[in-house]
């Protein structure tokens, strides 16, 4: 199957190349389970045949039937994810898909490692690079965010100061401006604030905080997102009284049905 794994398009042979492929597929899967969760939910129709969730090397995702060839070109994702959709709570189902997606990503990465003859040192290097990233499960369930919230009470406090996202977003952007400190003490304060934010991960793509990017926080789950990942601009945030991320909006829609 051309779309399932994309293995026939992958011919790089270094640890960095395999890790790059891992990151792009991971980005696609996180997008399916967060930003595009409503579309993903609709595609996983229990009335259809066994379906799999694929993360592609071009950072796109697709729900499709498994590969027909046996054995397949690449390891296959969990089969039949659609059958459990209506028999579980949404968050539990998404968590289950996330766990299986993590397993699949590792299997694909180490398939390439074996295929390209990586030695012990190269395999260890690849694993260590992968292990520096939060798992898809951690991103989807907010497990990493909960740990960071315990470590950084000041950061979480900023999130609950105001009920208005329009007020909060510009204030957050003010911190991103990286203005020159007026004195040494102010400079140290800004560095500490930068370090706190640096531990924050985007709830959509799983990447770290960057000082030159606009972020917005969900008023429901309190996860932070890159504005570009959830299609929110600073100007648009000015007019949002209560921001709900795609996952929380989807949950609310399900309750109303």
């Amino acid at each position: 199957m051309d779309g399932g794994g994309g293995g026939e398009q992958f011919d790089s042979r270094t640890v960095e190349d395999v890790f790059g492929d891992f990151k792009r597929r991971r980005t696609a899967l996180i997008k399916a389970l967060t930003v595009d969760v409503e579309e993903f939910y609709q595609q996983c129709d229990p009335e259809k045949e066994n379906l799999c969730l694929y993360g592609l090397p071009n950072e796109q995702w697709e729900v499709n039937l498994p590969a027909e060839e046996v054995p397949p070109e690449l390891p296959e994702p969990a089969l039949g994810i659609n059958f459990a959709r209506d028999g579980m709570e949404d968050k539990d189902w998404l968590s289950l898909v996330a766990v299986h997606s993590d397993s699949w990503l590792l299997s694909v990465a180490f398939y390439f490692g074996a295929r390209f003859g990586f030695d012990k040192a190269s395999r260890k290097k690849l694993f260590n690079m992968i292990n520096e990233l939060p798992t898809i499960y951690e991103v989807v369930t907010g497990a990493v965010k909960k740990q960071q919230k315990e470590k950084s009470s000041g950061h979480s406090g900023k999130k609950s100061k105001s009920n208005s996202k329009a007020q909060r977003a510009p204030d957050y952007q003010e911190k991103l401006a990286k203005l020159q400190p007026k004195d040494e003490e102010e400079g140290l304060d800004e560095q500490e604030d930068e370090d706190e934010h640096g531990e924050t991960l985007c709830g959509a793509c799983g990447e770290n905080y960057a000082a030159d990017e606009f972020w917005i926080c969900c008023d429901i789950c309190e996860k932070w997102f890159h504005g570009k990942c959830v299609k929110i601009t600073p100007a648009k945030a000015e007019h949002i009284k209560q921001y709900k991320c795609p996952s929380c909006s989807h949950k609310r829609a399900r309750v109303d049905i």
Side-chain angles (χ1 to χ4, degrees):
M1 180 177 62
D2 181 60
E8 66 284 344
Q9 300 174 355
F10 188 82
D11 56 5
S12 300
R13 297 177 180 272
T14 69
V15 172
E16 288 72 18
D17 289 327
V18 173
F19 179 61
D21 179 80
F22 175 93
K23 284 186 67 176
R24 291 189 293 274
R25 293 177 188 272
R26 173 180 173 275
T27 296
L29 293 170
I30 290 176
K31 184 179 179 183
L33 298 175
T34 57
V35 177
D36 295 343
V37 65
E38 183 133 9
E39 181 182 353
F40 170 66
Y41 186 93
Q42 295 299 328
Q43 289 192 29
C44 291
D45 186 348
E47 298 301 319
K48 295 182 179 179
E49 296 183 44
N50 290 297
L51 295 175
C52 302
L53 171 62
Y54 295 92
L56 307 181
N58 61 358
E59 299 189 2
Q60 299 300 311
W61 60 272
E62 70 173 15
V63 173
N64 211 330
L65 295 171
E68 294 182 2
E69 62 267 26
V70 178
E73 173 67 18
L74 290 178
E76 285 288 297
L79 182 67
I81 58 172
N82 51 314
F83 295 146
R85 190 195 74 175
D86 293 346
M88 304 174 66
E89 292 287 337
D90 287 357
K91 65 177 182 177
D92 294 333
W93 177 65
L94 292 172
S95 297
L96 180 63
V97 176
V99 168
H100 283 292
S101 296
D102 280 318
S103 300
W104 177 67
L105 282 179
L106 284 172
S107 67
V108 171
F110 281 87
Y111 162 82
F112 283 132
R115 174 178 166 184
F116 300 145
F118 287 0
D119 59 16
K120 181 179 179 180
S122 295
R123 294 194 303 272
K124 183 177 181 180
K125 179 180 179 181
L126 175 60
F127 177 79
N128 287 339
M129 293 171 75
I130 290 173
N131 201 40
E132 286 299 311
L133 297 173
T135 63
I136 297 175
Y137 175 83
E138 289 173 331
V139 173
V140 170
T141 61
V144 174
K145 184 61 184 174
K146 291 175 184 176
Q147 296 170 11
Q148 293 168 348
K149 189 175 180 181
E150 292 174 358
K151 290 194 299 181
S152 179
S153 58
H155 189 192
S156 61
K158 289 183 181 69
K159 293 177 191 175
S160 59
K161 271 186 178 181
S162 169
N163 291 327
S164 172
K165 189 61 56 182
Q167 294 175 12
R168 198 174 322 156
D171 177 67
Y172 195 59
Q173 285 301 292
E174 198 172 350
K175 293 182 178 61
L176 306 184
K178 283 186 142 182
L179 298 175
Q180 291 295 328
K182 295 179 180 178
D183 52 44
E184 185 176 347
E185 184 178 350
E186 183 179 342
L188 290 173
D189 290 342
E190 289 193 2
Q191 182 61 47
E192 290 175 1
D193 187 65
E194 180 76 15
D195 291 341
E196 282 184 1
H197 290 305
E199 297 178 352
T200 302
L201 300 176
C202 175
C205 69
E207 296 297 325
N208 289 88
Y209 164 88
D212 59 347
E213 295 179 304
F214 170 69
W215 282 56
I216 190 166
C217 177
C218 175
D219 283 301
I220 307 302
C221 66
E222 295 191 345
K223 292 181 183 178
W224 286 92
F225 298 85
H226 289 110
K228 63 182 180 181
C229 289
V230 290
K231 299 180 174 62
I232 299 292
T233 64
K236 188 174 181 180
E238 289 278 0
H239 304 286
I240 300 177
K241 292 184 178 180
Q242 183 185 58
Y243 175 67
K244 292 182 182 179
C245 69
S247 294
C248 291
S249 296
H250 172 65
K251 291 175 186 175
R252 183 66 213 170
R254 292 281 298 155
V255 171
D256 292 342
I257 291 177

